[in-house]
Amino acid sequence: MPALVLLGAQWGDEGKGKATDLLGGSVDYVVRYQGGNNAGHTVVVGDQKYALHLLPSGILSPGCTPVIGNGVVVDPAVLLSELSGLAERGVDTSKLLISGNAHLITPYHTTIDKVTERFLGKRRIGTTGRGIGPTYADKINRVGIRVQDLFDESILRQKVEAALDQKNQILAKLYNRRAIMADQVVEELLGYAERIGDYVCDTTLILNNALDEGKVVLFEGGQGTLLDVDHGTYPFVTSSNPTAGGACTGSGVGPTRINRVIGILKAYTTRVGAGPFPTELFDEDGEKLRRIGGERGVTTGRDRRCGWFDAVIARYATRVNGLTDFFLTKLDVLTGWERIPVCVAYEIDGRRVEELPYNQSDFHHAKPIYEMLPGWSEDISKAKSFEDLPKNAQAYVKALEEMSGAPISAIGVGPGRDETIQINPFL
Ligand code: GDP
Ligand code: IMO
Ligand code: MG
């Protein structure tokens, strides 16, 4: 009954989509358990490139059932457009399952996300503007709209009216925006009901039954550990739990059923949006990482902030997720540097600190302490085994493994499915 979690070990965009897709052919179910269409995964299959936001990356593997779990927030317009985009390219989307308990992102959530960011000005989070935070806020506040509400018009209307009674006050009085008409929202949502209805089911029951039958279930995280609302760099985080525990609450599968937790770890670091980032580079090296790594957001098109590898963060990800393995991605991007700095600890107010400080102000002051590792210049994109890598690349991987606290079981040397070195099998 193997159940695996695959999640981001840094600030997102580590290459989760590629890693999930790689395993997709060998698993029966791929489950998104949190986040929404703030995620942006690029998956390269042969000469085809796919950008996925809401749908689990397993949708590209025939034979694999993609599942949107209860912990996800679903924008129905985005869902339908992503589905039709894939169908036009010949991808079979008919197997998709959606939890009736997942919450809906409505037009007012997206509006509130955008106006709140504008209102915050300099203090903004730099959200993706997809309505993620306001939708989770309504969920926790018990005024959210769930997927299942689409199929009961009177309940839907009551809930939308109740939510808008309050939100329109905020929109009009605080943000000076026009009120949103409940009728319009209800009409739009009802328009989706029929097109989504066939996908909606009790995903918790299906997943637990599948595990009882010995099927393989892969939980695919959106975002990353440092964007987790509890364990990340709050308040510069997303509004859900990408960390391993989120796989349980976001799917209704208990922790005793999960036997492997794989952290996807970029060979350097990137971040999108505001918030602290100790190893961030503002020089030519940062520009070079951005250019060679193609570090531009899949969802918002924003340039990603780039910096060197941070072992303090990797160790933290191992700890809060109980990682069993790492999948190190984008090692090829580091080809060509004579020496590669790696952050091994921080200096905070004159002290050497080995672990991520739990205090936000300390983290904001953290200065990286670097160790210099020798680089390599050989093209590694065709490497098929660890031994194919140049000695210095092997040493870089080994050093990262030692510092990060879990074995590196796979290495990405290019964006394609086959540009991967598998050291220990995941299944
Ligand atoms: P995700 O959000 O974690 O799925 O990651 P993104 O898709 O947002 O960003 C990762 C980017 O790196 C994508 O463009 C991938 O195609 C690409 N990628 C993934 N693994 C590798 C790798 O090992 N080498 C290179 N060069 N690119 C990779
Ligand atoms: P994937 O799945 C990188 C960031 C946003 C912002 C913060 C909050 O591709 O790794 P939100 O819209 O979620 O309320 O924004 O989180 N963010 C991501 N950064 N990759 C992502 O997803 C992200 N999803 C959200 O930039 O800083
Ligand atoms: Mg991404």
Side-chain angles (χ1 to χ4, degrees):
M1 56 128 226
L4 302 85
V5 182
L6 201 153
L7 52 81
Q10 295 149 321
W11 275 288
D13 303 321
E14 299 90 348
K16 298 176 290 292
K18 174 192 154 167
T20 306
D21 171 65
L22 189 70
L23 284 171
S26 334
V27 306
D28 300 297
Y29 293 83
V30 172
V31 188
R32 278 279 313 262
Y33 55 87
Q34 47 70 232
N37 57 306
N38 48 348
H41 306 313
T42 301
V43 181
V44 181
V45 185
D47 60 357
Q48 294 286 309
K49 195 167 169 177
Y50 298 89
L52 298 170
H53 298 285
L54 176 60
L55 294 169
S57 306
I59 200 151
L60 300 174
S61 301
C64 173
T65 301
V67 181
I68 293 181
N70 56 276
V72 175
V73 288
V74 177
D75 184 324
V78 172
L79 174 75
L80 291 168
S81 99
E82 211 164 291
L83 282 171
S84 62
L86 287 177
E88 274 166 27
R89 295 175 69 178
V91 176
D92 175 16
T93 58
S94 62
K95 288 210 186 103
L96 177 69
L97 305 177
I98 303 174
S99 167
N101 285 357
H103 278 246
L104 288 173
I105 302 178
T106 73
Y108 52 84
H109 293 114
T110 317
T111 301
I112 290 170
D113 192 358
K114 289 177 182 153
V115 294
T116 307
E117 282 283 276
R118 215 166 298 149
F119 185 77
L120 283 170
K122 264 195 348 219
R123 289 165 298 152
R124 69 182 171 274
I125 308 293
T127 72
T128 59
R130 301 299 192 263
I132 306 296
T135 305
Y136 278 114
D138 276 5
K139 170 179 172 173
I140 300 303
N141 219 6
R142 293 159 297 189
V143 290
I145 316 288
R146 295 192 293 175
V147 168
Q148 59 182 280
D149 298 328
L150 290 176
F151 311 107
D152 185 329
E153 183 173 344
S154 118
I155 294 262
L156 179 69
R157 193 171 294 280
Q158 281 175 39
K159 289 190 174 177
V160 170
E161 280 171 1
L164 279 177
D165 275 352
Q166 182 209 34
K167 289 193 174 35
N168 277 335
Q169 300 281 332
I170 297 170
L171 279 172
K173 295 193 176 139
L174 185 61
Y175 296 124
N176 203 20
R177 303 280 296 210
R178 242 182 290 141
I180 293 173
M181 295 297 137
D183 279 349
Q184 257 175 19
V185 175
V186 171
E187 202 178 312
E188 181 181 329
L189 291 177
L190 287 173
Y192 300 126
E194 203 178 317
R195 295 163 70 195
I196 289 177
D198 285 348
Y199 301 118
V200 180
C201 58
D202 184 348
T203 50
T204 295
L205 182 64
I206 290 173
L207 289 172
N208 279 284
N209 285 345
L211 286 168
D212 289 342
E213 288 164 19
K215 297 274 192 324
V216 183
V217 178
L218 174 66
F219 296 93
E220 176 192 13
Q223 293 79 51
T225 299
L226 274 298
L227 285 175
D228 185 285
V229 69
D230 284 278
H231 301 291
T233 47
Y234 191 91
F236 302 101
V237 292
T238 192
S239 302
S240 64
N241 291 115
T243 48
C248 297
T249 50
S251 71
V253 168
T256 50
R257 310 208 74 164
I258 291 171
N259 23 34
R260 207 133 178 201
V261 185
I262 303 160
I264 313 302
L265 187 68
K266 211 178 270 195
Y268 49 97
T269 315
T270 62
R271 172 165 207 172
V272 192
F277 178 1
T279 64
E280 182 168 15
L281 292 166
F282 300 95
D283 59 6
E284 268 175 34
D285 281 329
E287 205 42 61
K288 200 168 147 190
L289 284 174
R290 189 173 302 118
R291 184 166 36 82
I292 302 175
E295 297 298 352
R296 181 173 285 249
V298 184
T299 300
T300 58
R302 287 180 288 182
D303 275 353
R304 293 174 183 154
R305 301 158 64 191
C306 295
W308 299 121
F309 184 82
D310 185 336
V312 182
I313 280 172
R315 274 200 293 282
Y316 179 72
T318 304
R319 168 155 52 101
V320 297
N321 293 300
L323 295 183
T324 56
D325 307 75
F326 280 113
F327 187 146
L328 185 72
T329 60
K330 301 193 110 169
L331 186 65
D332 53 302
V333 174
L334 294 179
T335 300
W337 265 277
E338 210 167 303
R339 292 188 320 153
I340 308 169
V342 166
C343 168
V344 293
Y346 300 141
E347 188 198 308
I348 302 172
D349 300 331
R351 287 173 299 124
R352 182 183 169 102
V353 175
E354 306 277 342
E355 298 294 337
L356 198 90
Y358 73 90
N359 183 302
Q360 186 197 349
S361 308
D362 282 350
F363 193 57
H364 278 262
H365 294 142
K367 292 197 187 73
I369 298 174
Y370 286 117
E371 203 170 278
M372 293 293 174
L373 300 182
W376 60 93
S377 55
E378 300 90 333
D379 175 16
I380 61 168
S381 61
K382 303 282 176 299
K384 293 284 172 243
S385 71
F386 187 68
E387 290 68 35
D388 289 345
L389 293 173
K391 285 282 168 285
N392 284 351
Q394 290 187 14
Y396 185 80
V397 173
K398 282 288 156 207
L400 263 47
E401 183 173 76
E402 186 112 328
M403 292 169 193
S404 304
I408 293 176
S409 295
I411 304 169
V413 291
R417 248 185 205 172
D418 51 353
E419 290 171 307
T420 305
I421 297 172
Q422 194 77 45
I423 299 169
N424 304 311
F426 289 128
L427 283 166

